[in-house]
Structure formats: C-alpha cells, structure tokens
Amino acid sequence: MDLNVKGKSVLVFASSKGIGRAIAGEFAAEGASVVLASRDIAALETAVGEIQAHTGNPQIACCRCDMTRAEDIEAALSFANEKHGAIDVLINNSGGPPAGGIDQFEDGDWQNAYELNLLSYVRAIRGVLPYMRAQGGGHILNVTSSSIKQSLDNLLLSNTFRAGVLGLAKSLAQELAKDNILINTLGPGRIATDRVESLDRLAAKEKQMPYEDVKQASEKSIPLGRYGKPEEFAKHAVFLCSGANTYVTGQAFLVDGGLVKAL
C-alpha cells in the first residue's frame, strides 16, 4: 500500500527517544520531511543523525521544545513550517506524569501534569490550525495511553488528563471536519520504553520484588505475551496520519497486544 506520505511535512513532539522517536523514524522511512522536537537538543541531534543514516532521508531536522512552554510550541511550529514549507502532520506527544494516588499530589503536581499532558496539546493544535487551513487540510494525532479505555492503577494524573485529551479530540473532530483536518487518538499499552521500565522498577520497589519478576508478570497479563516495540506503535501512527486515511477522524485506538479488556 502506498501511504502517500512522501514529501509530506511532519512535526513530532517529544521525539528524542521512545515512541516519539520511533514515529519520526517511520515517517522518515516513508519519505516524509520530519522535524523532531523535545527538550534535550543533544539527544535530538543524535536521533536525527541515526534516522538519516538508517533511512537515507536527508529531510530530517530538529528543534528544542519544552512542551510546558507556550512560546516553545509556537516556535517549533514556526520552525517546521519554515523548514519544509508546510505542516501536513502534527504528532502530539509528551512524557508521562509521575505515578501516585490522590494523597501524594499537591496542587502544583496537578498543574504541572495539566500543562504537560493536556494544555500542551491544546496549544499545539491551536497553533497548527492556521497552517493546515491555509494548505487545505492535514492530520493531527494525539498520543496518550491505554488509560483512555481503562484506568491504570497508581497513575491518577495520567488517567485524568489523558481522558481530557480524548474528549478534546472527539470534540475537535466535529469542529475541524469542514477544514479537512482529521484528528485521532492513539494509546500505547505496555510498549518497551524508558517510561514503562521506570514504572516497572517503581512497582518492584513498592512490592519488594525483583524487577525481572515484575516485568514477567506484566508480560503474562498481555495476551500476546510480550511488550510491544516502539516501531510497532509507530506504524499505526503513520497510517492514521497518511494519505491512506481519508475518512477516519475522532476515533481512539489502542496498540496494546490485547491487554485492555474494556469494550
């Protein structure tokens, strides 16, 4: 299948590593012009070099962006548009907030999680709309969590604000359809990233169990019996934001190996 993304301009937030980096790499492999953005410029530059070497695609660039800063998001959007002449695809992505329950968080923790995991997406979407409207359309994908379908233990902040992103996208699908802008939500299950490893290590510490035992128990809870690869998640992201998708908008999907049992 020709995904029709060759030459398209793609901006991927939080893409120096993990899922964001994998998405940038998959778009690059399909011939898209990609801008990676995150706070760690050294890691970004390394990622750019590795993606270029792996794909042979020279149209890869990066810029520093702290997703909690409105001015950084605006600058990243402007950079991507100036670099590649358009923004055809926006990938909203951000690191997960701290684990914990209601008794562990003060107002500042809630505010930080709101700014990182919900308000940043609002700002990025609001900022990209003039570019997409001017060019006649585009694709927006919000990367969230499997908690959009089923809440996760000890991840109260994530459960709360990821659900907010889902409501945002569902509402905007109605509002943006007239502009030929499609917006969807994609949630990872247990994907082998630094974030998942850190959560497993935290669980191991709290349960006073070896890390490997916690990981193995987690893998056994997944029908496919293993953690997903970032590249497996990324392939679905590329499809939803490609020319092959012209009629799916306002929907939420999980890439979780069958883990979530909710309908």
Side-chain angles (χ1 to χ4, degrees):
M1 179 185 293
D2 181 4
L3 295 177
N4 192 25
V5 297
K6 187 175 183 179
K8 297 295 185 180
S9 174
V10 181
L11 172 60
V12 187
F13 283 114
S15 50
S16 63
K17 60 182 180 179
I19 283 174
R21 186 193 182 287
I23 293 174
E26 288 296 324
F27 270 111
E30 292 291 334
S33 301
V34 186
V35 169
L36 292 77
S38 84
R39 291 176 297 178
D40 189 340
I41 191 65
L44 279 174
E45 290 173 346
T46 297
V48 167
E50 291 175 348
I51 290 171
Q52 287 177 333
H54 179 70
T55 64
N57 184 343
Q59 298 301 316
I60 316 297
C62 66
C63 64
R64 188 186 183 282
C65 179
D66 181 340
M67 290 295 284
T68 65
R69 295 172 57 87
E71 57 269 34
D72 281 16
I73 292 174
E74 183 179 352
L77 291 164
S78 178
F79 175 83
N81 184 65
E82 292 176 5
K83 186 71 177 177
H84 296 136
I87 304 177
D88 299 296
V89 176
L90 171 67
I91 305 294
N92 272 327
N93 185 36
S94 62
I102 189 67
D103 294 325
Q104 295 169 261
F105 300 123
E106 303 295 335
D107 284 2
D109 300 308
W110 284 95
Q111 184 66 33
N112 291 339
Y114 161 66
E115 291 182 0
L116 177 64
N117 298 121
L118 179 55
L119 184 57
S120 64
Y121 286 28
V122 173
R123 287 167 168 165
I125 293 168
R126 190 171 57 205
V128 83
L129 291 182
Y131 302 113
M132 289 189 172
R133 283 170 172 155
Q135 66 204 26
H139 286 86
I140 299 170
L141 184 69
N142 296 321
V143 177
T144 54
S145 162
S146 62
S147 65
I148 60 173
K149 296 289 188 180
Q150 182 174 290
S151 64
L152 299 173
D153 293 344
N154 204 39
L155 288 176
L156 179 61
L157 294 178
S158 180
N159 293 339
T160 300
F161 295 111
R162 304 300 196 186
V165 172
L166 181 61
L168 172 70
K170 196 68 175 178
S171 299
L172 288 179
Q174 312 299 312
E175 186 175 337
L176 301 179
K178 66 181 184 299
D179 299 310
N180 195 33
I181 298 173
L182 282 62
I183 180 169
N184 291 290
T185 304
L186 194 61
R190 305 291 288 180
I191 306 296
T193 61
D194 290 347
R195 165 72 169 175
V196 169
E197 181 179 340
S198 70
L199 292 174
D200 282 348
R201 291 193 180 280
L202 178 62
K205 182 179 180 181
E206 292 176 346
K207 297 176 181 179
Q208 296 184 329
M209 292 173 57
Y211 161 72
E212 288 298 334
D213 289 353
V214 169
K215 182 183 177 184
Q216 288 176 9
S218 180
E219 289 176 328
K220 287 181 180 179
S221 71
I222 302 169
L224 287 183
R226 62 177 177 84
Y227 285 176
K229 301 175 183 177
E231 294 77 14
E232 291 177 300
F233 183 90
K235 291 180 187 298
H236 292 274
V238 172
F239 170 78
L240 286 171
C241 295
S242 74
N245 174 29
T246 57
Y247 203 62
V248 176
T249 190
Q251 303 305 309
F253 305 92
L254 297 185
V255 182
D256 71 342
L259 174 64
V260 172
K261 298 177 177 61
L263 296 176

